[in-house]
């Protein structure tokens, strides 16, 4: 069925193309005639290719055992989402610096609105905490950052957005996986297809769950038969709590503590390793407030986070910080959620200044730097323009070899030094 359809499309297009090309070739010189004659590759239009993809996906979904009527009803009307197509093709050259993100997170408006919602929903938060052992503050922070407390839910029909990804481009595998998850969600009977509205990237509801997350973690907390992450605060916040709980949230533990480091501290150990607070303390890591670590805190496992280098704020992060990164694998995001959940309680968020005069290094330059470091013998394991653990390690090793503080933090000045080194 699929093969016959595809070949008929190709034949039709070939006839159309030949029909268009011939008059032009005749009107022009012999070179063009030859060129036209040797064209054998036939270009389908985007709509033709998308239709072919829909037929193929539909038949594979039916092969997997999904109800043909549901699959056809959902996939046949799908349209290419131009924004998803555009965003899939472009990658930003610059990411905003962590301080821009974190400062924006704790805006007065967001903190004020969050406090009001915490107070209005006390009974619900108590029920959620009793069931999942997750505190109201982190849930409210997620609610605030993901959807501005339910005010911005996205207006895209997610089948269109996900089909656009699955069809072609960088995210075909992601798009397919999410479409299958969407079929699972509808099959469960707990969500109506018309509810499937979200962001251009396929994230839904007040918690912006992508379909796989929705399928695996969304709950019907108010028990009305519908997992309504769009309109039911109980379902949305209950689902976020369920998710955090499943990834190991610890009710009694903090997310992070801002710290100061002893003079001459060896930054090379801020490499993601886990140690007890007692061990960090012995190496000269102390709360920035000048207080001592409590006896209970001493046994917690923590990582040292130095996201903007030796000149910027430093943190010990606990298990809960990693749990937040399971929600969104970004240090900026996790720090944003962490500081926002403190701000609701009028606690100090981050006191040390960020190095805001530092210039960010763009993706193209980062790729060049990765190639340079690797050539110098500091292997970054590829040059993708993203500063991950391997690149940080390479930067640290280069810094150590060159008598600099090994904080693994890259900004324009250090980039320039690396690029001229030999
Ligand atoms: Ca419900």
């Amino acid at each position: 069925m699929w093969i016959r359809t595809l070949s008929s499309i190709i034949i039709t297009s070939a006839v159309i193309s030949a029909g268009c090309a011939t008059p032009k070739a005749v009107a022009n010189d012999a070179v063009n005639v030859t060129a036209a004659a040797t064209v054998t590759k036939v270009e389908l239009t985007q709509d033709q290719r998308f239709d072919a993809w829909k037929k193929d996906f539909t038949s594979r979904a039916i092969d997997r055992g999904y109800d043909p009527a549901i699959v056809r009803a959902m996939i046949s009307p799908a349209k290419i989402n131009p924004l998803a197509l555009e965003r899939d093709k472009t990658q930003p050259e610059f990411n905003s610096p962590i301080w821009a993100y974190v400062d924006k997170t704790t805006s007065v408006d967001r903190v004020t609105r969050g406090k009001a919602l915490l107070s209005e929903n006390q009974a619900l938060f108590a029920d959620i905490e009793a069931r999942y052992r997750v505190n109201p503050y982190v849930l409210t922070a997620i609610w605030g950052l993901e959807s501005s407390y339910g005010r911005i839910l996205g207006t895209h029909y997610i089948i269109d957005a996900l089909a656009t990804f699955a069809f072609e481009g960088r995210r075909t595998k992601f798009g397919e996986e999410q479409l299958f998850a969407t079929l699972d969600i509808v099959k469960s009977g707990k969500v109506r297809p018309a509810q499937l509205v979200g962001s251009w990237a396929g994230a839904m509801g007040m918690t912006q769950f992508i379909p796989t997350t929705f399928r695996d973690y969304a709950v019907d907390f108010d028990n009305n038969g519908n997992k309504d992450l769009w309109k039911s605060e109980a379902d949305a916040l209950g689902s976020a709590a369920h998710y955090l709980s499943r990834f190991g949230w610890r009710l009694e533990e903090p997310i992070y503590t801002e710290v100061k480091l002893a003079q001459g501290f060896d930054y090379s150990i801020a490499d993601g390793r886990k140690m007890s607070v007692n061990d960090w303390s012995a190496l000269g890591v102390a709360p920035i407030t000048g207080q001592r670590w409590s006896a209970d805190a001493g046994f917690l496992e923590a990582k040292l986070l130095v996201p903007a280098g030796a000149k910027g704020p430093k943190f010990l992060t606990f298990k809960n910080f990693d749990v937040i990164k399971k929600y969104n694998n970004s240090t900026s995001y996790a720090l944003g959620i962490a500081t926002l959940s403190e701000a609701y309680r009028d606690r100090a968020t981050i006191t040390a200044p960020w190095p805001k005069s530092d210039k960010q290094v763009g993706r193209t330059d980062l790729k060049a730097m990765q190639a340079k470091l690797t050539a110098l013998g500091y292997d970054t394991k590829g040059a993708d323009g993203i500063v991950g653990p391997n690149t940080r390690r390479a930067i640290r090793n280069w810094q150590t070899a060159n008598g600099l503080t090994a904080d693994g933090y890259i900004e324009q000045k250090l980039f320039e030094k690396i690029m001229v080194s030999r």
Side-chain angles (χ1 to χ4, degrees):
M1 175 72 178
W2 145 243
I3 291 172
R4 195 180 305 152
T5 310
L6 182 62
S7 41
S8 71
I9 288 172
I10 288 174
I11 290 161
T12 313
S13 310
V15 170
I16 292 167
S17 305
C20 293
T22 310
K24 244 193 216 164
V26 169
N28 283 310
D29 60 21
V31 175
N32 278 347
V33 173
T34 313
T38 54
V39 169
T40 48
K41 197 181 162 212
V42 174
E43 294 287 328
L44 300 181
T45 66
Q46 187 178 63
D47 284 347
Q48 287 170 328
R49 282 182 286 120
F50 189 56
D51 281 343
W53 171 83
K54 281 201 256 187
K55 289 197 174 80
D56 176 50
F57 180 84
T58 300
S59 78
R60 283 184 295 121
I62 293 167
D63 285 349
R64 283 201 193 189
Y66 290 98
D67 179 342
I70 292 180
V71 176
R72 289 198 185 98
M74 287 174 66
I75 302 299
S76 302
K79 294 189 288 286
I80 286 185
N81 178 314
L83 186 61
L85 197 65
E86 171 65 27
R87 295 282 171 96
D88 189 50
K89 281 181 187 155
T90 52
Q91 276 182 300
E93 176 67 11
F94 288 92
N95 291 317
S96 49
I98 187 166
W99 48 86
Y101 184 86
V102 173
D103 284 354
K104 218 166 46 183
T105 300
T106 48
S107 69
V108 174
D109 176 62
R110 192 179 274 121
V111 174
T112 309
R113 177 94 183 116
K115 283 179 175 177
L117 289 166
L118 276 158
S119 150
E120 283 167 30
N121 293 282
Q122 272 184 31
L124 171 62
F125 281 120
D127 288 348
I128 290 174
E129 184 170 319
R131 188 181 307 177
Y132 295 116
R133 301 190 51 73
V134 175
N135 73 57
Y137 307 104
V138 68
L139 297 175
T140 305
I142 288 173
W143 192 12
L145 276 195
E146 293 295 342
S147 65
S148 196
Y149 307 111
R151 288 181 291 197
I152 301 169
L153 298 176
T155 55
H156 300 267
Y157 191 51
I158 65 148
I159 301 289
D160 294 341
L162 297 171
T164 303
F165 291 142
F167 161 51
E168 60 184 22
R170 287 189 294 132
R171 299 182 224 205
T172 50
K173 195 163 163 261
F174 169 84
E176 283 231 3
E177 190 188 7
Q178 298 305 321
L179 271 183
F180 280 119
T182 309
L183 293 173
D184 291 331
I185 292 168
V186 171
K187 190 174 152 190
S188 76
K190 299 279 189 183
V191 175
R192 296 181 299 277
Q195 289 180 290
L196 300 171
V197 173
S199 74
W200 65 268
M204 294 177 284
M206 296 191 228
T207 52
Q208 292 290 285
F209 275 8
I210 57 172
T212 44
T213 306
F214 195 118
R215 177 193 63 199
D216 298 339
Y217 301 99
V219 296
D220 176 18
F221 197 81
D222 61 14
N223 209 20
N224 71 346
N226 182 213
K227 290 182 181 176
D228 186 357
L229 303 197
W230 299 267
K231 290 187 175 145
S232 161
E233 280 87 5
D235 287 2
L237 298 167
S239 295
H242 179 226
Y243 186 88
L244 296 178
S245 148
R246 288 279 293 275
F247 282 95
W249 185 265
R250 294 176 182 170
L251 182 62
E252 291 80 12
E253 292 189 15
I255 304 172
Y256 75 106
T257 301
E258 189 178 356
V259 296
K260 56 187 175 185
L261 307 178
Q263 282 290 328
F265 186 85
D266 175 12
Y267 280 86
S268 69
I269 60 173
D271 60 355
R273 74 184 66 187
K274 267 191 247 171
M275 292 198 285
S276 73
V277 169
N278 282 337
D279 288 344
W280 286 114
S281 180
L283 292 170
V285 179
I288 197 162
T289 55
Q291 293 165 305
R292 298 166 61 129
W293 296 105
S294 71
D296 287 347
F299 297 96
L300 298 180
E301 285 212 306
K303 295 177 187 173
L304 181 60
L305 175 67
V306 186
K311 288 182 294 173
K314 296 120 194 152
F315 310 91
L316 279 191
T317 67
F318 303 96
K319 167 78 179 176
N320 288 342
F321 192 85
D322 295 336
V323 176
I324 297 168
K325 286 183 79 168
K326 296 285 184 189
Y327 203 102
N328 181 339
N329 189 20
S330 145
T331 297
S332 299
Y333 179 82
L335 205 52
I337 293 288
T339 53
L340 184 55
S341 65
E342 294 290 292
Y344 296 138
R345 288 171 278 186
D346 295 319
R347 294 185 187 171
T349 52
I350 297 174
T351 54
W354 293 101
K356 292 188 182 178
S357 59
D358 284 356
K359 289 202 179 69
Q360 301 293 107
V361 183
R363 193 177 287 264
T364 310
D365 281 349
L366 286 174
K367 283 183 191 171
M369 181 199 73
Q370 288 169 322
K372 173 81 180 184
L373 283 170
T374 302
L376 288 170
Y378 306 97
D379 192 358
T380 60
K381 316 257 181 208
D384 58 0
I386 296 164
V387 181
N390 293 319
T391 298
R392 267 191 214 290
R393 187 181 316 113
I395 296 169
R396 281 180 216 287
N397 291 339
W398 184 89
Q399 286 172 318
T400 304
N402 288 274
L404 300 170
T405 304
D407 60 9
Y409 167 67
I410 189 71
E411 41 70 49
Q412 185 66 24
K413 285 188 187 128
L414 186 71
F415 164 75
E416 286 166 10
K417 280 185 195 159
I418 290 173
M419 293 309 285
V420 298
S421 78
R422 34 176 92 214

